[in-house]
């Protein structure tokens, strides 16, 4: 395996849980043989032993009075915590300035102000959606004029800070073509596309006659839409995952003998390996690790015609698309025939998500970006020596 020739560190904004962004930071650190710097690791989050993680302000965010305020609805839902993380990351840690290259993971990591000679790659996962493509939708939840005015002012200030930090970035890196387009639209910058790697032993072990969907049970994943569609079907549905929507989904499925909610399971690969197909209905997904994992297992993906999920579904080859309505999903399931799909062909499509592909792409990009940045700095230094100063 190739290795980075530069001294590299990963800066991830925080570890409030173990989601896709956190798993990416860990895999990137493994590939680059780099430590991860972060503001804090939330209580109860277990990190792998083979990666060095340096929490910069652990006590501030997890203990005492400040911890009580800042841990409430973190993961971007607590504006005080978000602002605090951004401010703490501007100077972050003195050791960060000693690295040749910094790979920033997640939007707030861009707040870090690097030294002139440092090369910075920024992997945002997406520009903050509440500031850009979901801005109007989020505002509709606040009907009071005074509150809406305050939120607009707050968002406008954040937008200015977010775009100002773009000046510190040598190269943007997107996790999908969709996010690349968002970066171009909102930041006016090009971005290289490096897909996050699919981790785990994903395989096809036949068809036990059930459909499966899994994810964090949150509103934006729209598991309720999937449950409502299958409530009027005879086909079996298995729902895997936990989260704030679990009790509501259990009530919906209470009288449906064909729907089973398993909660969190450790062996999701085994559950998927015996499924007929995977159903996935998230709202405008940035990348969609569930879709990539399903295809890696050779399972057809019945995916919503939105976000990056739309690009993962080659209709009739890797799966079927449906519009984000109960009727459209129900119709897709009814017309689905497993004999129309070849598991080997689906897995061939999913090779773009393999870890070896991720390793090669990330290492090459780090080398290329550092060489380009060093060349530009050298050219500037050369021009400076030719400057004639008149006093």
């Amino acid at each position: 395996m190739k290795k980075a020739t530069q001294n590299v560190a990963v800066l991830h904004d925080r570890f409030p849980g173990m989601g896709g962004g956190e798993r990416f930071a860990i895999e990137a650190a493994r590939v680059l043989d780099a430590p991860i710097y972060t503001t804090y690791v939330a209580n109860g989050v277990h990190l792998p032993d083979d990666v060095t993680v340096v929490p910069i302000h652990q006590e501030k965010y997890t203990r005492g009075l400040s911890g009580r305020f800042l841990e409430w609805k973190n993961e971007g839902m607590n504006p005080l915590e978000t602002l605090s993380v951004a401010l703490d990351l501007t100077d972050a840690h003195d050791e960060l300035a000693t690295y040749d290259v910094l790979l920033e993971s997640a939007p707030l990591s861009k707040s870090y102000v690097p030294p002139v000679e440092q090369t910075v790659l920024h992997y945002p996962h997406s520009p903050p959606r509440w500031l850009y493509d979901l801005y109007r939708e989020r505002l509709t939840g606040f009907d009071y004029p005074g509150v809406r005015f305050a939120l607009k002012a707050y968002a406008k200030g954040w937008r200015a800070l977010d775009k100002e930090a773009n000046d510190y970035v040598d190269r943007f890196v997107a996790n999908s073509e969709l996010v690349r387009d968002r970066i171009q639209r909102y930041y006016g910058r090009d971005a290289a596309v490096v897909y996050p790697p699919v981790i785990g032993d994903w395989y096809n072990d036949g068809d036990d006659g059930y459909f499966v969907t899994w994810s964090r049970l949150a509103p934006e994943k729209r598991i309720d839409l999937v449950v409502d569609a299958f409530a009027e079907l005879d086909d079996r549905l298995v729902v895997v995952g936990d989260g704030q929507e679990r009790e509501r989904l259990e009530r919906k499925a209470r009288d449906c003998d064909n729907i089973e909610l398993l909660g969190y399971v450790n062996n999701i690969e085994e559950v998927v390996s015996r499924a007929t197909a995977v159903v996935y209905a998230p709202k405008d997904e940035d990348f969609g690790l569930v879709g990539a994992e399903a295809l890696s297992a050779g399972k057809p993906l019945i995916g919503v015609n939105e976000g990056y999920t739309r690009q993962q579904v080659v209709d009739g080859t890797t799966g079927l698309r449906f519009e984000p309505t109960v009727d459209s999903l129900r119709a897709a399931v009814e017309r689905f025939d497993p004999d129309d799909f070849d598991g080997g062909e689906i897995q061939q499509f999913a090779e773009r998500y393999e870890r070896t592909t991720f390793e090669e792409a990330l290492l090459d990009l780090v080398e290329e970006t550092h060489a380009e940045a060093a060349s530009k700095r050298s050219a500037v230094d050369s021009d400076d020596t030719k400057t004639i100063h008149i006093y």
Side-chain angles (χ1 to χ4, degrees):
M1 172 183 159
K2 292 167 57 178
K3 289 189 176 181
T5 57
Q6 288 81 35
N7 191 19
V8 185
V10 175
L11 178 62
H12 184 69
D13 56 5
R14 74 275 223 206
F15 280 79
M18 193 55 73
E22 288 69 41
R23 288 194 293 270
F24 167 82
I26 289 169
E27 291 306 318
R30 285 170 171 157
V31 169
L32 299 171
D33 191 22
I36 301 173
Y37 289 80
T38 188
T39 48
Y40 70 94
V41 179
N43 294 321
V45 174
H46 301 289
L47 300 172
D49 295 332
D50 63 325
V51 174
T52 299
V53 178
V54 182
I56 303 167
H57 294 287
Q58 182 69 10
E59 292 193 4
K60 173 181 177 180
Y61 289 89
T62 60
R63 299 175 189 170
L65 186 60
S66 64
R68 292 177 188 173
F69 281 110
L70 296 171
E71 71 180 356
W72 172 78
K73 286 190 177 181
N74 52 14
E75 299 186 73
M77 297 301 291
N78 178 347
L80 180 61
E81 185 257 6
T82 301
L83 179 61
S84 180
V85 168
L87 292 174
D88 284 336
L89 286 176
T90 56
D91 55 348
H93 197 294
D94 290 343
E95 289 178 6
L96 280 173
T98 67
Y99 291 92
D100 300 324
V101 180
L102 188 63
L103 175 65
E104 298 173 339
S105 166
L108 291 181
S109 61
K110 193 174 56 175
S111 304
Y112 170 69
V113 181
V116 173
E117 65 275 9
Q118 191 171 59
T119 301
V120 176
L121 295 89
H122 184 63
Y123 196 105
H125 303 285
S126 178
R129 301 194 64 190
W130 68 277
L131 288 180
Y132 299 106
D133 60 308
L134 295 182
Y135 171 66
R136 290 176 180 80
E137 179 181 313
R138 295 291 171 87
L139 273 183
T140 60
F142 299 91
D143 295 329
Y144 298 103
V147 174
R148 286 174 66 88
F149 179 82
L151 287 173
K152 286 181 180 181
Y154 179 73
K156 188 172 181 65
W158 260 111
R159 243 181 253 117
L161 292 172
D162 183 55
K163 293 187 177 184
E164 176 188 279
N166 292 341
D167 294 339
Y168 308 140
V169 177
D170 292 291
R171 176 72 66 90
F172 279 90
V173 190
N175 61 11
S176 69
E177 290 80 3
L178 174 68
V179 171
R180 178 196 62 196
D181 293 345
R182 288 182 190 160
I183 290 171
Q184 177 63 52
R185 175 65 175 175
Y186 300 121
Y187 295 159
R189 297 280 296 271
D190 293 328
V193 176
V194 176
Y195 298 122
V198 168
I199 306 301
D201 184 19
W202 298 93
Y203 60 98
N204 194 336
D205 195 25
D207 180 356
D208 283 1
Y210 59 84
F211 295 80
V212 63
T213 187
W214 80 98
S215 71
R216 177 171 45 89
L217 302 185
E220 64 270 18
K221 299 301 182 181
R222 294 195 293 213
I223 304 296
D224 57 340
L225 186 153
V226 181
V227 169
D228 288 342
F230 276 82
E232 300 299 324
L233 295 169
D234 294 328
D235 301 273
R236 289 175 59 204
L237 173 68
V238 173
V239 179
V240 178
D242 206 348
Q244 65 188 89
E245 292 278 282
R246 182 171 178 178
E247 290 185 7
R248 189 169 76 89
L249 293 171
E250 287 176 339
R251 289 195 297 270
K252 277 179 172 288
R254 186 171 297 157
D255 298 324
C256 302
D257 295 336
N258 63 320
I259 301 176
E260 182 179 7
L261 276 75
L262 297 183
Y264 174 80
V265 299
N266 289 316
N267 60 335
I268 183 62
E269 294 96 334
E270 183 179 342
V271 175
V272 174
S273 73
R274 301 194 307 275
T276 301
V278 173
V279 183
Y280 197 41
K283 183 176 181 61
D284 288 321
E285 191 73 288
D286 304 328
F287 173 70
L289 194 57
V290 167
E293 290 168 340
L295 299 175
S296 297
K299 295 299 178 178
L301 179 63
I302 302 177
V304 67
N305 190 30
E306 282 185 2
Y308 183 65
T309 307
R310 164 193 297 139
Q311 299 177 33
Q312 290 176 320
V313 179
V314 179
D315 212 45
T317 300
T318 64
L320 297 177
R321 295 179 189 153
F322 64 91
E323 300 305 318
T325 67
V326 170
D327 289 342
S328 181
L329 173 53
R330 191 178 298 146
V333 174
E334 288 174 339
R335 74 174 185 272
F336 175 80
D337 184 347
D339 293 335
D340 292 340
F341 299 91
D342 182 279
E345 188 175 2
I346 293 172
Q347 287 177 317
Q348 187 176 9
F349 177 89
E351 288 176 359
R352 65 193 66 190
Y353 307 127
E354 289 183 353
R355 192 177 191 279
T356 53
T357 305
F358 170 72
E359 290 174 0
E360 293 175 4
L362 185 59
L363 285 166
D364 287 347
L365 196 61
V366 166
E367 297 284 341
E368 176 187 317
T369 304
H370 184 61
E372 290 177 356
S375 178
K376 289 178 182 178
R377 287 192 290 268
S378 177
V380 170
D381 291 343
S382 177
D383 288 343
D384 286 345
T385 63
K386 299 175 184 178
T387 302
I388 299 175
H389 299 279
I390 300 176
Y391 299 93

